[in-house]
């Protein structure tokens, strides 16, 4: 079995399970009707952060989102402040579709320290954007993006801003060129990611992956990351939208107990063993090795 870290390097924490994007490249619309939804209890959130803070936080990245739009959590900015306070040496990464990040929210967010802010913008013309992110309005998103780029105070508290586009059949060369130009003009990073069908969970598009053997994860999610849902359940990775591989529950266990558990280690052996027995989500996942 591949050696896993003594303690997670990355913590993905779903402070609330909601998303308003309606993105055609995302399973949310289908899966949210089937899986439990809700917001994380503040006591549970603080318990998790305090456990992380008791370790040396250098090199640890706390990611307070997981398969959701984080700013739909009405307590989100206060939670980021709490992370900054308790884990000042840890990096904070946030990903958002910008729909809620208006001038007021940006002013509140400027009181936080953020290592990386990722902006999911899956089109750069109104027609393409509305087709890709069906729950949002391009005019609103573009206005919030413009405000963010001009917000010197907020930008001074962010290490890097990245605009993320996804390579899927609906994106056009024009959208990509416009987004690249905008990023260059506004000194933000442009990233064009390959499409992931989230372990076969996206109904509209398919990576057509059918692994017969698995000998690891390209992103080392089983050996470096902990993925925590709003109710404290810990899933194997962010592709596990349907909770197929629950490895623990932080509402009744510690981070260390889950990380070192027999359940987690059994799954690690399957993923890194090079055999025919491994989790179903790995069978369909483009990131499986």
């Amino acid at each position: 079995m591949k050696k896993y870290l003594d303690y997670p390097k990355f913590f993905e924490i779903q402070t609330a399970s909601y998303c308003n994007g309606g993105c055609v490249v995302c399973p949310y619309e289908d899966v949210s009707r089937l899986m439990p939804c809700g917001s994380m209890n503040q006591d549970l959130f603080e318990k998790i952060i305090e456990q992380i803070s008791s370790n040396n936080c250098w090199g640890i990245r706390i990611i307070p989102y997981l398969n959701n739009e984080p700013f739909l959590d009405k307590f989100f900015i206060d939670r980021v402040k709490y992370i900054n306070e308790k884990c000042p040496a840890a990096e904070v990464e946030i990903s958002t579709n910008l729909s809620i990040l208006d001038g007021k929210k940006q002013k509140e967010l400027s009181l936080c320290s953020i290592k990386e802010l990722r902006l999911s913008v899956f089109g750069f013309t109104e027609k393409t954007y509305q087709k890709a992110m069906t729950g949002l309005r391009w005019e609103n998103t573009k206005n919030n993006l413009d405000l963010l780029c001009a917000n010197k105070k907020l930008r001074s508290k962010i290490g890097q801003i990245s605009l993320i586009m996804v390579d899927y059949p609906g994106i056009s060369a024009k959208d990509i060129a416009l987004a690249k130009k905008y990023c260059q003009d506004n000194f933000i990073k442009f990233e064009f990611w390959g499409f992931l069908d989230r372990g076969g969970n996206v109904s509209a598009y398919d990576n057509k992956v059918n692994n017969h053997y698995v000998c690891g994860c390209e992103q080392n999610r089983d050996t470096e990351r902990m993925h925590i849902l709003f109710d404290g359940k810990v899933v194997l990775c962010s592709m596990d939208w349907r909770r197929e591989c629950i490895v623990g529950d932080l509402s009744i266990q510690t981070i260390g107990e889950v990380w070192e558990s027999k359940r987690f280690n059994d799954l690690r052996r399957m993923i890194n063993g090079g055999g025919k027995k491994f989790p179903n989500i790995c069978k369909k996942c483009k990131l499986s090795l």
Side-chain angles (χ1 to χ4, degrees):
M1 182 175 74
K2 179 179 178 181
K3 176 63 178 173
Y4 61 95
L5 298 179
D6 293 335
Y7 198 74
K9 184 178 180 181
F10 303 93
F11 289 89
E12 299 186 28
I13 306 171
Q14 185 184 70
T15 67
S17 65
Y18 311 112
C19 190
N20 58 350
C23 301
V24 297
V25 296
C26 176
Y28 180 83
E29 292 299 316
D30 292 332
V31 177
S32 62
R33 300 185 182 97
L34 304 173
M35 295 291 107
C37 296
S39 298
M40 182 173 282
N41 177 278
Q42 183 64 16
D43 288 341
L44 175 58
F45 177 78
E46 291 181 6
K47 174 186 171 184
I48 292 167
I49 299 304
E50 285 169 8
Q51 286 181 66
I52 299 172
S53 72
S54 67
N55 284 265
N56 185 349
C57 287
W58 287 106
I60 285 180
R61 177 168 286 208
I62 300 175
I63 306 167
Y65 67 91
L66 174 60
N67 300 341
N68 69 310
E69 166 49 47
F71 288 96
L72 288 175
D73 173 7
K74 63 182 179 180
F75 304 112
F76 181 69
I77 293 177
D78 287 335
R79 300 201 210 243
V80 176
K81 290 178 185 176
Y82 190 81
I83 294 170
N84 288 161
E85 176 189 344
K86 294 293 183 179
C87 305
E91 298 178 351
V92 176
E93 173 194 316
I94 298 172
S95 180
T96 176
N97 61 32
L98 281 162
S99 61
I100 313 295
L101 199 54
D102 57 14
K104 181 181 177 181
K105 286 291 183 186
Q106 290 185 29
K107 184 177 181 180
E108 295 172 6
L109 192 62
S110 67
L111 300 176
C112 303
S113 294
I114 302 162
K115 179 67 174 179
E116 184 174 3
L117 179 64
R118 295 179 175 179
L119 313 175
S120 297
V121 184
F122 302 152
F124 224 77
T125 60
E126 183 173 7
K127 181 179 179 180
T128 307
Y129 181 86
Q130 299 297 164
K131 187 176 180 180
M133 307 182 82
T134 62
L136 308 179
R137 292 189 304 111
W138 170 240
E139 181 182 3
N140 178 64
T141 297
K142 181 60 164 53
N143 182 59
N144 290 345
L145 177 60
D146 290 342
L147 286 173
L148 173 61
C149 287
N151 192 331
K152 294 181 180 179
K153 182 177 181 180
L154 176 55
R155 292 190 65 164
S156 71
K157 304 298 290 291
I158 301 171
Q160 176 177 286
I161 300 176
S162 303
L163 189 145
I164 311 298
M165 277 191 163
V166 174
D167 185 10
Y168 85 106
I171 198 72
S172 71
K174 180 180 179 182
D175 286 277
I176 297 167
L178 287 171
K180 282 184 176 179
K181 177 70 164 52
Y182 184 92
C183 290
Q184 290 170 356
D185 291 346
N186 290 280
F187 304 100
I188 61 178
K189 184 178 181 182
F190 176 78
E191 294 193 37
F192 191 56
W193 291 356
F195 169 69
L196 283 175
D197 67 7
R198 311 297 181 92
N201 281 305
V202 177
S203 58
Y205 302 99
D206 188 350
N207 285 137
K208 297 182 173 21
V209 171
N210 186 22
N211 296 307
H212 297 289
Y213 299 91
V214 170
C215 59
C217 172
E218 182 180 313
Q219 296 185 346
N220 298 320
R221 287 185 169 268
D222 60 317
T223 57
E224 295 183 355
R225 291 179 178 252
M226 182 167 279
H227 307 80
I228 307 163
L229 300 178
F230 75 93
D231 58 2
K233 298 289 194 307
V234 179
V235 290
L236 177 62
C237 85
S238 61
M239 306 301 164
D240 193 3
W241 283 74
R242 299 177 189 272
R243 300 187 173 204
E244 295 177 26
C245 296
I246 295 176
V247 298
D249 186 346
L250 292 182
S251 69
I252 55 175
Q253 294 172 281
T254 66
I255 290 171
E257 287 170 347
V258 173
W259 191 245
E260 300 283 350
S261 67
K262 182 180 184 300
R263 168 66 171 160
F264 212 156
N265 278 327
D266 285 346
L267 288 167
R268 290 185 180 112
R269 289 188 184 93
M270 285 191 279
I271 292 166
N272 295 284
K276 293 184 178 181
K277 186 178 180 181
F278 49 85
N280 188 54
I281 54 171
C282 300
K283 179 178 181 180
K284 301 174 184 178
C285 185
K286 181 181 175 182
L287 299 177
S288 294
L289 300 175

